[in-house]
C-alpha cells in the first residue's frame, strides 16, 4: 500500500502568515490522485483539494495544491482564524486508499 | 446538498459486533456514479479506510485487507442508507467511525462525510 508521510507534524503560525504543508508518498501516485482535507474537532473532514491541485467547490483561493509523483504540497497563502486545524493528505490512486498522519496548524 | 447522518451505539463489548448506519440525503445509495465508504480514525492508526459498497448494475463491495475477515458493508435501498458491521471487536477497534461518499466512475476523493461516531470497545 502507498504510505503517505506529512511534514511537519505541527506548524505554529500567526494569522496572515503563509503555511506550507508537505506530503510525501512511498511510491508514485499516478494521475496525481491526491487530495487534501481540513479537519476540525467534532466536525467531519472537509475536502479542500483533489487531483493534487484542483480546489473543491466553495474552497477559497488562498488554498492551493501542487505536486506530482511522490511529492505534494498544500499552501495556505494567508492564514485566516478559521484555518487553524489539522490537515490530511490522501491518495486515491491505489487501493487501499490511504491517508497521511496529519499536520496540525496552530496559532503561534 | 448531500448529507450523511450516522447512528450507532457508543459502547461495544469485546468479541461482539460493532454496527453503525449512515443515512443518505441528497443522493441515492443505488447511484450508478457514487460509492459509499467507511473510514475510521484512532490515535494509534490515524485515518484508515475500511471498505465501500457501490452499485454498477449490481452491488459491489471492497474491503481493506486489515479487516476483510471481520467486516460487512451493506446497502439498504428501502431506507437509502448503508451500514458497517465489524465482528469480533477488540479494544484496538476503538475509534471514530466515519461514512463518506466518493463520486464518479474513476478515482475520486471523499467529497462528503458523516459527522463521525465514537465507538468504544470495552467491557
Amino acid at each position: 500500500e502507498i504510505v503517505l508521510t506529512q511534514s511537519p507534524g505541527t506548524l505554529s503560525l500567526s494569522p496572515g502568515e503563509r503555511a506550507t504543508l508537505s506530503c510525501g508518498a512511498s511510491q508514485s501516485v499516478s494521475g496525481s490522485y491526491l487530495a487534501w482535507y481540513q479537519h476540525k474537532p467534532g466536525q467531519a473532514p472537509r475536502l479542500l483539494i483533489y487531483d493534487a491541485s484542483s480546489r473543491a467547490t466553495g474552497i477559497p483561493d488562498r488554498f492551493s495544491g501542487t505536486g506530482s509523483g511522490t511529492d505534494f504540497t498544500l499552501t495556505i497563502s494567508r492564514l485566516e482564524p478559521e484555518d487553524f486545524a489539522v490537515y490530511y493528505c490522501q491518495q486515491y490512486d491505489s487501493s487501499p486508499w490511504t491517508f497521511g498522519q496529519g499536520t496540525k496548524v496552530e496559532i503561534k | 446538498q448531500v448529507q450523511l447522518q450516522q447512528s450507532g451505539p457508543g459502547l461495544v463489548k469485546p468479541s461482539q459486533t460493532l454496527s453503525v448506519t449512515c443515512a443518505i440525503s441528497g443522493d441515492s445509495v443505488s447511484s450508478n456514479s457514487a460509492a459509499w465508504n467507511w473510514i475510521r480514525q484512532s490515535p494509534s492508526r490515524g485515518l484508515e479506510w475500511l471498505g465501500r459498497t457501490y452499485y454498477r448494475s449490481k452491488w459491489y463491495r471492497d474491503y481493506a485487507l486489515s479487516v476483510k475477515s471481520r467486516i460487512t458493508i451493506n446497502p439498504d435501498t428501502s431506507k437509502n442508507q448503508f451500514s458497517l458491521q465489524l465482528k469480533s471487536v477488540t479494544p484496538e477497534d476503538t475509534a471514530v467511525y466515519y461514512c463518506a461518499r466518493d463520486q464518479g466512475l474513476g478515482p475520486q476523493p471523499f467529497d462528503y462525510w458523516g459527522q463521525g461516531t465514537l465507538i468504544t470497545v470495552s467491557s
Side-chain angles (χ1 to χ4, degrees):
Chain A
E1 72 179 46
I2 297 178
V3 176
L4 299 178
T5 303
Q6 292 186 241
S7 61
T10 302
L11 208 45
S12 297
L13 295 168
S14 300
E17 290 194 292
R18 181 185 189 90
T20 303
L21 289 68
S22 296
C23 177
S26 60
Q27 60 194 79
S28 183
V29 178
S30 61
S32 294
Y33 294 132
L34 186 114
W36 290 93
Y37 301 87
Q38 178 191 70
H39 196 193
K40 297 179 180 178
Q43 296 185 16
R46 177 191 181 195
L47 176 65
L48 301 174
I49 301 288
Y50 65 96
D51 294 351
S53 61
S54 298
R55 270 188 301 276
T57 302
I59 302 303
D61 61 8
R62 64 180 182 273
F63 291 92
S64 63
T66 60
S68 64
T70 60
D71 295 298
F72 299 87
T73 301
L74 174 70
T75 302
I76 311 171
S77 59
R78 295 173 311 280
L79 282 164
E80 298 287 340
E82 62 268 26
D83 299 337
F84 291 92
V86 180
Y87 293 83
Y88 295 95
C89 57
Q90 179 241 334
Q91 65 81 20
Y92 46 99
D93 168 41
S94 170
S95 181
W97 325 133
T98 51
F99 295 83
Q101 81 279 19
T103 290
K104 182 179 182 180
V105 179
E106 64 176 23
I107 300 176
K108 186 175 182 180
Chain B
Q1 176 80 341
V2 175
Q3 291 189 326
L4 304 176
Q5 182 66 42
Q6 298 178 219
S7 58
L11 183 65
V12 181
K13 288 182 167 50
S15 80
Q16 293 191 340
T17 297
L18 172 164
S19 295
V20 193
T21 298
C22 183
I24 303 163
S25 57
D27 200 348
S28 170
V29 71
S30 304
S31 167
N32 274 296
S33 61
W36 305 97
N37 298 262
W38 286 101
I39 296 155
R40 68 182 177 184
Q41 183 176 33
S42 65
S44 59
R45 302 170 76 97
L47 282 162
E48 179 185 16
W49 175 79
L50 300 176
R52 65 179 179 174
T53 187
Y54 57 97
Y55 185 77
R56 302 287 185 267
S57 302
K58 68 175 186 177
W59 287 102
Y60 292 86
R61 295 166 179 82
D62 299 322
Y63 298 136
L65 284 177
S66 61
V67 293
K68 192 170 185 177
S69 63
R70 300 191 292 132
I71 190 173
T72 303
I73 296 176
N74 279 327
D76 182 342
T77 57
S78 66
K79 296 181 179 178
N80 200 31
Q81 64 187 31
F82 63 109
S83 64
L84 164 70
Q85 289 193 314
L86 190 65
K87 63 183 182 182
S88 305
V89 296
T90 71
E92 284 223 336
D93 294 310
T94 294
V96 178
Y97 286 77
Y98 294 97
C99 58
R101 184 188 84 162
D102 71 75
Q103 188 183 32
L105 298 177
Q108 295 290 334
F110 305 115
D111 57 354
Y112 288 97
W113 295 62
Q115 80 278 16
T117 301
L118 173 61
I119 303 288
T120 301
V121 179
S122 174
S123 54

